[in-house]
Amino acid sequence: MPEPVLISLAAALAARSVTGLYKLVKEKFSGDPEAAAALEAAEGAAEDSPEVRELATRLSAAEDEDPGFAERLRREWDQCGGVVNTISGTVSGKVVQARDVHGNISL
């Protein structure tokens, strides 16, 4: 199972919400027809879809094979404000998901 950040990254790619990130991955996958097909199949898919999970798996493999790509991918994700928040189990009460908080939060 790919790490959560790759699932979120794959979902952003599927939505084509981050142009630079999409271009980077499309270029990387251009020499691999199966990876390119996974990118195309994920387009417009929901974050929890099998297509997005497959794309995340392909991204994980690409990172393992090419540390330079992994570094560029993570840097691009960080620059676009990539955040991964995970909540599991039974939650009662209020939940706040945020990135950079300067000061207090009151609910």
Side-chain angles (χ1 to χ4, degrees):
M1 178 78 175
E3 60 185 297
V5 69
L6 290 177
I7 298 289
S8 293
L9 207 151
L13 288 167
R16 285 194 178 194
S17 60
V18 185
T19 305
L21 188 65
Y22 186 84
K23 182 180 175 185
L24 173 68
V25 173
K26 185 171 178 129
E27 182 179 303
K28 174 65 177 172
F29 285 179
S30 67
D32 181 345
E34 292 178 2
L39 178 60
E40 187 175 316
E43 189 171 327
E47 183 172 350
D48 61 348
S49 71
E51 293 84 4
V52 168
R53 284 193 302 276
E54 175 62 22
L55 178 56
T57 299
R58 296 287 179 170
L59 289 169
S60 181
E63 282 191 330
D64 290 345
E65 294 169 4
D66 184 350
F69 170 72
E71 183 180 323
R72 290 188 310 276
L73 183 69
R74 300 300 176 118
R75 186 174 51 241
E76 185 71 33
W77 180 242
D78 288 343
Q79 287 176 353
C80 70
V83 175
V84 176
N85 294 306
T86 304
I87 299 173
S88 61
T90 303
V91 178
S92 62
K94 298 174 182 168
V95 175
V96 174
Q97 293 184 326
R99 183 167 174 206
D100 299 324
V101 176
H102 304 281
N104 297 324
I105 296 176
S106 299
L107 301 174

